[in-house]
DNA sequence: AGCACGCCGACT
DNA sequence: GTCGGCGTGCTC
C-alpha cells in the first residue's frame, strides 16, 4: 500500500510554511522515517528542494495531485522527535517559519545547497557547444554571475528542446575520512608468511611482523599514516600487502578535534563548603527522582558555582544520564573548557562559535552517536541532540547573549525550560547577579532558590572606590585616568602586581572630528558616525560595514585640523604608554582578537605574567581568573546608564559586580577603582557595596512603577522600509490593527523611530507592547504577519520580537 | 524562494 | 507586430 509523508519544504516564506503531502515511492517505503531529510519536486517545472519528513501517514488527505518523493538524503533521522517538536514550538513562539526553526537545531553544514545546470540533450553546432558549454555537455547555470548574453542563448536552447534545466540539491556535510589497515590473518599464518619471504625483502618483513603484533591487540585498526611513520615502510608495501591478502584497508571516519593538542590532566572532586553541599544535595535529589524543577543558584564571584555544576553533572552521569551546560560565548575560555574536560575527559563535547563548520559538525555527530554525554557550549548548544538528559545548567543566566538577535529570536533559557520538561530533569540557573526575572521567580517560589553567599577562601569582597569624574575633569582635564586610579596603577607596577583595566563597550569608539567646524564624518548609509580603526587604517561603520579612507582635510570646511576623538582602546593604550613608559601593556578588543585563537593567546600571555596591564572591553570581565591581579580599574562605568533602555541600570550593576570579582582572588587582597560621572546612581552605589539584594529591591520598585518586566511581558514590533514614511505608516497601521484585540490593560508604546533610524539605507520604526495577559495577542500578531505579505514583496520587513533584550 | 502567467510600454 | 518590464498567484 502506498504511504504518504508530510514534509516541511525548504522554502522560507509565510505561504509555504505548512506541511506538504508527498507519496512515498515503493522503493523508499522501508527507508523513509520521520526526521529524515528528503529531496522533493516543488512548484512548476522540475524544481527540486530539500524537505524534512515530519509525519508518515497511510492515506492521503490532500485532494489534488500529490507528487512523489524524489530521494532520501539521510540513512537515519537527523532530527529526533524531541527536536522536531521543539522546532515546531519555537516557530510558533517566535513567529518564525518551521523550516527556519528546523534548520536552526542542526549544524549549518546540513543545510542544502542548490545549483542549477543546463544539460545538452540534442546535437548542436560544435562551435556553439564550445562557446556555450566550453566543450562539455552541461554547464552550471548561475544566473547571478553569468554573462547575460550567454544566459539568453542557453535559455533559448532550452526552449527549443535541445537542452534542459536540471536542479541539483547538494549537501555540504562531509565526513573526514582516513585510510586504516587491519590484519586479515592470524598469528600462525603470519609466521608462515614470514618464513616464506625472501631475506632481503626488508620492508615486507617489517610489515608482516607489525601485522602479527596486531593480532594480539583488541583494537587492530590502525591508520595507514601511523603505520608508515611508526615502522618506516612505504605505502606501496602496504598496498602489495593488501594484494597478497595479508591485510585489508578500511576507510574510517575521523573527527576533527579542536582540542587535540591540549594535554589535560584529570582532576577529582573538590571538597564542598556547607553551602555548596546543600545545593548539590538538592539538585542531586531532583536528578535522581527525575523532577523537572528549576533552581536559581545565586553565588558571589568565587563562591564555587562551577564546582556545584560539575558535581551535579557527575551525578547525572553516574545515573546513566547526560548533561548540558550553557556558558556565554565570551566565558567559554580554554580555562573553562579545560576544567570540565579534566573532570569528564572524552565524554565532553564543546560547541562554540570559534569552531569551523566541520569541527562543529563532528562534535554534533559525537553527541548524536552518544559518544559524548556532557555538552558544554554557548547559546546554540541548547539544541545538542542529547538523549536522556539528567541536568541542564545555564551559567551566568543573566547574560543577554542567550537571546538570539536574529529570527528565530529565541532565548536559550526558554529552550532549556522546555527541554527540562520533556526530559523530566532539573535546571540550574546560576549567576552572581541574577536577572530580575529569575530572581523574582525565585522569590515567588516558582524556582527553588539556592545561595552561596561566601567566597570559598573566606575572603572579603574587594574594596571598591568610586572616583567622581565630574570633579576629576576639573583637575585632570581630558585624561582618561583620574589621579586616584593613576596612583593605584603606579603602586601595582612597583609591587610587580597586575592590573586589569576595563573600558565599557558603549561609547568607546574613536571618531574623526574637525576642530574648526565640528564636522563628524557620517556613514553614507546609516545615521551614525564612522569610527576609526587603526589596524586597517580606515573609517568603518559598525552597522552596515561601509569602509573608507581616513580624511586628511575636513570635507566640510577644508581645514587641516581634523583629529580623532573619543576613547577607543587604542587611544587609551597610547595614553597609558605615555603615563607608564616602562609598563608592559596588553590590549584586548575586537581589533586584537579578530583572528582565531588570538583571544586565548592574549590571556595566556597575561597569565604568564608577560604583561603588567591588561586593557580591554567587557570581554575581560568574564571568566578570567588571575591570582596576581590586585587592581581592577573601570574607566567609564556609566556609559550604558544614559541609554534609553529600562535594563541599563541592571546591566551596569551586573557589569560592575562582575569586574569587581576579578580583583584579588587568591591570597592577595584586591582593589577596584571605578570612574564614573554618576557616583550617586543606585546601580553604582549598590555595586560598590556588593549589595545585590538592595539593588534588586530598588530596581523591582522602579519596574513596578513603570510597568516593565518582570511585572509586564513585552513584545517589540519593528518595520523597516526603504523610505521613512513607509516604515512609519506600517507601524501606525499595526497599532490600529492590534488595538481592538487588546484589553485596556495593555500598554502600547509608539510607533517611534528607532534610535538609529536609518541603517544601510533602510528606515526603522518600532512599537513596544507591554501586557500582563492577552489571550488574543499572539494570534493577532500572526494575522498581522499574514496580511502584510503583499507588502513584504514590495520590500517591507516586519519583525516581531517576544521579550526583546534590546529596546534601542 | 522561484517560476509561470498575464497585462502594458518601446523597440528589432 | 514582439520583447521584456514586474504585479500576482501558486507550489503537495
Amino acid at each position: 500500500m502506498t504511504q504518504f509523508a508530510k514534509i516541511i519544504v525548504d522554502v522560507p516564506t509565510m505561504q509555504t510554511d505548512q506541511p506538504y503531502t508527498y507519496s512515498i515511492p515503493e522503493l523508499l517505503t522501508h527507508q523513509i522515517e520521520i526526521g529524515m531529510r528528503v529531496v522533493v519536486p516543488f512548484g512548476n517545472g522540475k524544481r527540486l528542494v530539500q524537505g524534512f519528513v515530519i509525519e508518515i501517514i497511510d492515506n492521503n488527505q490532500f485532494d489534488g495531485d500529490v507528487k512523489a518523493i524524489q530521494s532520501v538524503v539521510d540513512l537515519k533521522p537527523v532530527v529526533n522527535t524531541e527536536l522536531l517538536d521543539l522546532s515546531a514550538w519555537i516557530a510558533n513562539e517566535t513567529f518564525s517559519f518551521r523550516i527556519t526553526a528546523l534548520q536552526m537545531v542542526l549544524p549549518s553544514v546540513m543545510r542544502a545547497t542548490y545549483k542549477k545546470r543546463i544539460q545538452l540533450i540534442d546535437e548542436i553546432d560544435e562551435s556553439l557547444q564550445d562557446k556555450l558549454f566550453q566543450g562539455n555537455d552541461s554547464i552550471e547555470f548561475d544566473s547571478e554571475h553569468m554573462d547575460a548574453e550567454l544566459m539568453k542563448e542557453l535559455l533559448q536552447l532550452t526552449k527549443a528542446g535541445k537542452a534542459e534545466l536540471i536542479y541539483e540539491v547538494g549537501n555540504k556535510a562531509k565526513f573526514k575520512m582516513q585510510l586504516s589497515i587491519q590484519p586479515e590473518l592470524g598469528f600462525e599464518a603470519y609466521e608462515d608468511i614470514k618464513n616464506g619471504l625472501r631475506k632481503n625483502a626488508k620492508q615486507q618483513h617489517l610489515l608482516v611482523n607489525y601485522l602479527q603484533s596486531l593480532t594480539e591487540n583488541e583494537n587492530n585498526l590502525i591508520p595507514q599514516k601511523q603505520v608508515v611513520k611508526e615502522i618506516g615502510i612505504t605505502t606501496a608495501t602496504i598496498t602489495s600487502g593488501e594484494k597478497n591478502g595479508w591485510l585489508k584497508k578500511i576507510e574510517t571516519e575521523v573527527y576533527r578535534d579542536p582540542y587535540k593538542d591540549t594535554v589535560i590532566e584529570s582532576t577529582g572532586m573538590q571538597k564542598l563548603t556547607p553551602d555548596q553541599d546543600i545545593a548539590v544535595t538538592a539538585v542531586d535529589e531532583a536528578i535522581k527522582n527525575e523532577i523537572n524543577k528549576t533552581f536559581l543558584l545565586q553565588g558571589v564571584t568565587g563562591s564555587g558555582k562551577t564546582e556545584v555544576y560539575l558535581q551535579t553533572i557527575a551525578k547525572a552521569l553516574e545515573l546513566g544520564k547526560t548533561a548540558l551546560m550553557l556558558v556565554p560565548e565570551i566565558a567559554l575560555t580554554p580555562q573553562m573548557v579545560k576544567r570540565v574536560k579534566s573532570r569528564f575527559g572524552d565524554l565532553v563535547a564543546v560547541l562554540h562559535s570559534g569552531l569551523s563548520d566541520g569541527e562543529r559538525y563532528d562534535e554534533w555527530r559525537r553527541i548524536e552517536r552518544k559518544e559524548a554525554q556532557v555538552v558544554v557550549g554557548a547559546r546554540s548548544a541548547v539544541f545538542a541532540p542529547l538523549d536522556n538528559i539528567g541536568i541542564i545548567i545555564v551559567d551566568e543566566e543573566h547574560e543577554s547573549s542567550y537571546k538570539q538577535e536574529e529570527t528565530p529570536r529565541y532565548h536559550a533559557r526558554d529552550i532549556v525550560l522546555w527541554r527540562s520538561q520533556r526530559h523530566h530533569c532539573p535546571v540550574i540557573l546560576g549567576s552572581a547577579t541574577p536577572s530580575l526575572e529569575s530572581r523574582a521567580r525565585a522569590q515567588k517560589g516558582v524556582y527553588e532558590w539556592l545561595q552561596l553567599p561566601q567566597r570559598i577562601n573566606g575572603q572579603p569582597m574587594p574594596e571598591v572606590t568610586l572616583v567622581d569624574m565630574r570633579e576629576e575633569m576639573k583637575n585632570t582635564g581630558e585624561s582618561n585616568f583620574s589621579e586616584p586610579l593613576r596612583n593605584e596603577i603606579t603602586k601595582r607596577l612597583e609591587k610587580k602586581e597586575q592590573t586589569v583595566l576595563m573600558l565599557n563597550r558603549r561609547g568607546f569608539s574613536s571618531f574623526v572630528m574637525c576642530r574648526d567646524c565640528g564636522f563628524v564624518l557620517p556613514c553614507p548609509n546609516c545615521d551614525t558616525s564612522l569610527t576609526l580603526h587603526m589596524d586597517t587604517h580606515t573609517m568603518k561603520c559598525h552597522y552596515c560595514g561601509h569602509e573608507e579612507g581616513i580624511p586628511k582635510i575636513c570635507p566640510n570646511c577644508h581645514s587641516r585640523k581634523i583629529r580623532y576623538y573619543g576613547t577607543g582602546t587604542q587611544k587609551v593604550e597610547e595614553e597609558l604608554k605615555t603615563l607608564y613608559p616602562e609598563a608592559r601593556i596588553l590590549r584586548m578588543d575586537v581589533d586584537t582578537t579578530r583572528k582565531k585563537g588570538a583571544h586565548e593567546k592574549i590571556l595566556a600571555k597575561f597569565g604568564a605574567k608577560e604583561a603588567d596591564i591588561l586593557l580591554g572591553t567587557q570581554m575581560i570581565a568574564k571568566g578570567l581568573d588571575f591570582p596576581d591581579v590586585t587592581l581592577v580599574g573601570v574607566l567609564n562605568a556609566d556609559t550604558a546608564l544614559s541609554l534609553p533602555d529600562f535594563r541599563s541600570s541592571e546591566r551596569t550593576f551586573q557589569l560592575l559586580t562582575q569586574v569587581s570579582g576579578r580583583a584579588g582572588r587568591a591570597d592577595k587582597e584586591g582593589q577596584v577603582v571605578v570612574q564614573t560621572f554618576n557616583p550617586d546612581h543606585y546601580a553604582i552605589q549598590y555595586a560598590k557595596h556588593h549589595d545585590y539584594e538592595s539593588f534588586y529591591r530598588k530596581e523591582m520598585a522602579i519596574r513596578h512603577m513603570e510597568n516593565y518586566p518582570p511585572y509586564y511581558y513585552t513584545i517589540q514590533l519593528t518595520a523597516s522600509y526603504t523610505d521613512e514614511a513607509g516604515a512609519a505608516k506600517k507601524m501606525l497601521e499595526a497599532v490600529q490593527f492590534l488595538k481592538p484585540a487588546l484589553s485596556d490593560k495593555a500598554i502600547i508604546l509608539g510607533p517611534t523611530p528607532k534610535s538609529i533610524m536609518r541603517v544601510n539605507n533602510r528606515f526603522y520604526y518600532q512599537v513596544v507592547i507591554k501586557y500582563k495577559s492577552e489571550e488574543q495577542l499572539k494570534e493577532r500578531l500572526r494575522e498581522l504577519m499574514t496580511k502584510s505579505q503583499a507588502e513584504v514583496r514590495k520590500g517591507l520587513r516586519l519583525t516581531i520580537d517576544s521579550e526583546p533584550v534590546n529596546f534601542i
Side-chain angles (χ1 to χ4, degrees), chain A residues 557-573:
Chain A
C557 71
H558 307 290
S559 156
R560 294 193 163 274
K561 286 189 180 164
I562 185 155
R563 300 288 138 81
Y564 67 86
Y565 285 85
T567 35
T569 36
Q570 284 146 355
K571 198 180 167 202
V572 175
E573 186 184 10

Side-chain angles (χ1 to χ4, degrees), chain A residues 413-431:
Chain A
R413 203 166 45 201
D414 300 332
I415 310 291
V416 160
L417 295 178
W418 189 95
R419 292 196 79 179
S420 77
Q421 265 182 39
R422 181 76 169 224
H423 289 265
H424 309 287
C425 74
V427 171
I428 305 177
L429 303 177
S431 176

Side-chain angles (χ1 to χ4, degrees), chain A residues 30-176:
Chain A
H30 298 292
Q31 270 186 58
I32 289 185
E33 284 175 57
I34 289 171
M36 281 181 180
R37 293 172 299 164
V38 289
V39 174
V40 292
F42 192 71
N44 301 322
K46 280 164 288 184
R47 184 184 176 196
L48 296 176
V49 296
Q50 192 177 79
F52 288 83
V53 178
I54 58 156
E55 208 184 325
I56 292 172
I57 48 176
D58 286 329
N59 37 17
N60 170 22
Q61 301 138 318
F62 176 71
D63 56 322
D65 289 338
V66 287
K67 291 181 181 174
I69 291 171
Q70 230 254 182
S71 60
V72 197
V73 178
D74 303 299
L75 292 171
K76 54 185 204 138
V78 289
V79 190
N80 61 29
T81 48
E82 184 207 351
L83 292 174
L84 210 57
D85 292 348
L86 177 60
S87 68
W89 180 76
I90 291 170
N92 191 43
E93 288 293 308
T94 65
F95 306 93
S96 49
F97 307 129
R98 287 197 64 181
I99 187 67
T100 319
L102 271 166
Q103 284 170 339
M104 181 178 61
V105 305
L106 294 176
S108 61
V109 283
M110 295 178 84
R111 222 163 286 173
T113 53
Y114 297 99
K115 267 186 194 165
K116 280 180 280 186
R117 63 181 36 252
I118 302 267
Q119 169 86 46
L120 208 50
I121 49 173
D122 204 353
E123 293 278 315
I124 58 163
D125 189 70
E126 203 170 306
S127 65
L128 188 65
Q129 185 171 354
D130 266 3
K131 184 185 160 208
L132 298 180
F133 294 89
Q134 277 131 29
N136 302 317
D137 54 8
S138 78
I139 190 170
E140 191 180 326
F141 186 80
D142 180 355
S143 52
E144 306 234 309
H145 304 283
M146 230 177 203
D147 177 65
E149 197 54 37
L150 196 71
M151 241 167 70
K152 211 173 128 192
E153 287 191 60
L154 283 169
L155 284 173
Q156 272 168 3
L157 223 53
T158 338
K159 272 210 185 110
K162 291 186 186 293
E164 69 177 339
L165 194 60
I166 298 178
Y167 293 80
E168 287 176 355
V169 181
N171 189 358
K172 275 179 289 180
K174 287 269 176 338
F175 313 135
K176 196 174 167 189

Side-chain angles (χ1 to χ4, degrees), chain A residues 372-389:
Chain A
Q373 276 132 46
V374 179
V375 174
V376 181
R379 184 180 60 229
S380 63
V382 269
F383 302 117
L386 285 168
D387 253 352
N388 192 15
I389 302 177

